[in-house]
Amino acid sequence: MKNVALLFNGVWSHYVFATAPKYRDIYQLVYVHDLTDAHLAGMRALVIPFQSNQAAIAERKDVIYRFLAAGNTVFVEGDSRPDWIDAQWEDRPVNNYWWVENPNNPPVADTDFQHPLFHGLRPRHACWHTHGAYTRIPSEARVVQRNGDGEIVSWETNHYGGCLFATTLDGIVEQGVQQITHLDNFCDNLTQWLSGVRPAPERMTIDPEAYGITAIS
Amino acid sequence: MLTVVVVHNGIHELELMFQPTEAATYTFVPTGPGFPERLAAGLANADALLVPNGSDHVAMLDAKDVVREFLDAGKAVLCFDGWFTAWIPCNHWQMDNSRRTIEVRYQIGTAPHNLLDGVNIDELIFNHGISGWWACGYITPAANADVLLTDTWGRAMVVLDEATTPGRMILTSSGPLADFSYDGNNAHAIARLFRNFLAYLSQSKANHEERSIAV
């Protein structure tokens, strides 16, 4: 049963992830321009991936905070804007090749591996690259990951009811892109934390029938 | 000078990748409610429609008829993003992860109109020595379309389709292109290939205008 909503602005990597056989029974694509309370009814969590439409999200932030107030989880990846989240995200150069040129110096230096998102992961599975850093987070929030300069990569707060977790990682997009081959570890942890269901451990596959479609269901 | 309409999906700093040059000016059409009508209005005086990496293919499916009308008028559509919905006539994009990125190499297929001149193919294959960074999946091209680049397994990565409609479609298998370079080097293959496409479209436009004057 699908119980995690994946906010979707028509980006292909989001679609690849949500339609993959391993995840498609858990994640429900919700088109951002259609988002209402009704789309989130019965969901345990809402995922807002990297490459989202930040302006469209800001217009519908009341839906998101009502969902949080009901005790649900909202998981935000990549960039965000302070007009819908009480934090300041800033861009930073993306390092995709640290593991070739400087493998002992990954972009994330500190991770709370007791957090269910990261529990049991190896350090390299908990970070592939980051898209920026948070220079301000809510005063009551807890830091979960920092980069080598001490900047905040991941944080969470229960101030709004349920858990609001934000990270500059981009696991959903990169798992959709499929150029990094170890992301099942992170995405399976994420899925289990959000949905209560651990996907099959095999590497993600793709259903060719999901492409060239003439309507979005 | 080309007038290019770029689909804007609210992606951070997209405008930086499409700054005006001597070759082209860019206007941005945002996705969201009313997109097909907004796109049709934006294309009224445009030479090309550009769908960049990170675009909204739900919105593009809604605007499928607008795109077809634009192509039927002899204009150009450039898509550098995985189109999982069927809004591009007769050309199909398929995501695939059954091949190892470490084995990805590109070969030149047909190279009409000097479109690959000055393009270092190795720069599309490797980034800091890592292969398979640029394109994703593969294209099943329309009949009679030109395949400019293929991958290790002979699958289409870059397609020029001048056969399906009176217009031109330039398609990558989600490989991003812009007049911009990720390493600050304006001679990088992604910038050169993009500029070659613009130059070809400019020349085609000039030829068309000359013929119109002659008639």
Side-chain angles (χ1 to χ4, degrees), chain B residues 27-111:
Chain B
T27 58
F28 297 87
V29 174
T31 53
F35 174 71
E37 296 78 11
R38 211 162 37 249
L39 183 63
L43 292 176
N45 297 307
D47 302 304
L49 167 64
L50 195 159
V51 182
N53 201 251
S55 283
D56 182 343
H57 297 279
V58 177
M60 292 311 300
L61 184 63
D62 283 344
K64 177 182 176 185
D65 293 343
V66 175
V67 172
R68 182 63 196 234
E69 193 175 322
F70 189 63
L71 285 164
D72 285 344
K75 304 298 180 67
V77 171
L78 304 95
C79 180
F80 308 138
D81 199 36
W83 66 98
F84 58 88
T85 60
W87 64 268
I88 295 181
C90 298
N91 292 273
H92 175 82
W93 177 76
Q94 170 71 58
M95 181 52 184
D96 179 71
N97 68 344
S98 66
R99 305 291 197 273
R100 287 155 48 93
T101 54
I102 198 171
E103 296 172 359
V104 167
R105 302 291 183 272
Y106 300 136
Q107 290 90 36
I108 296 174
T110 56

Side-chain angles (χ1 to χ4, degrees), chain B residues 8-26:
Chain B
H8 199 313
N9 193 20
I11 301 296
H12 179 67
E13 292 188 338
L14 178 72
E15 297 87 346
L16 294 181
M17 300 173 72
F18 299 102
Q19 295 292 308
T21 65
E22 291 180 359
T25 59
Y26 302 95

Side-chain angles (χ1 to χ4, degrees), chain A residues 71-178:
Chain A
N72 300 301
T73 299
V74 173
F75 179 73
V76 182
E77 289 195 316
D79 56 327
S80 65
R81 288 196 337 202
D83 55 354
W84 70 271
I85 198 166
D86 182 22
Q88 183 63 53
W89 173 89
E90 288 186 10
D91 206 358
R92 298 284 184 276
V94 179
N95 184 341
N96 280 319
Y97 42 86
W98 61 272
W99 55 278
V100 172
E101 297 187 345
N102 195 359
N104 295 319
N105 189 24
V108 168
D110 296 307
T111 297
D112 175 5
F113 284 102
Q114 296 307 306
H115 192 286
L117 178 58
F118 298 110
H119 189 66
L121 296 186
R122 297 175 184 172
R124 76 185 188 92
H125 295 157
C127 173
W128 44 100
H129 58 237
T130 58
H131 287 276
Y134 278 96
T135 57
R136 178 180 63 81
I137 63 174
S139 58
E140 72 288 344
R142 192 173 70 84
V143 175
V144 181
Q145 283 188 309
R146 292 184 188 272
N147 65 22
D149 294 328
E151 294 181 309
I152 298 166
V153 171
S154 302
W155 56 271
E156 67 178 357
T157 177
N158 290 93
H159 180 70
Y160 304 101
C163 179
L164 171 62
F165 189 109
T167 178
T168 71
L169 297 172
D170 62 344
I172 300 293
V173 161
E174 291 297 346
Q175 180 74 329
V177 169
Q178 283 286 294

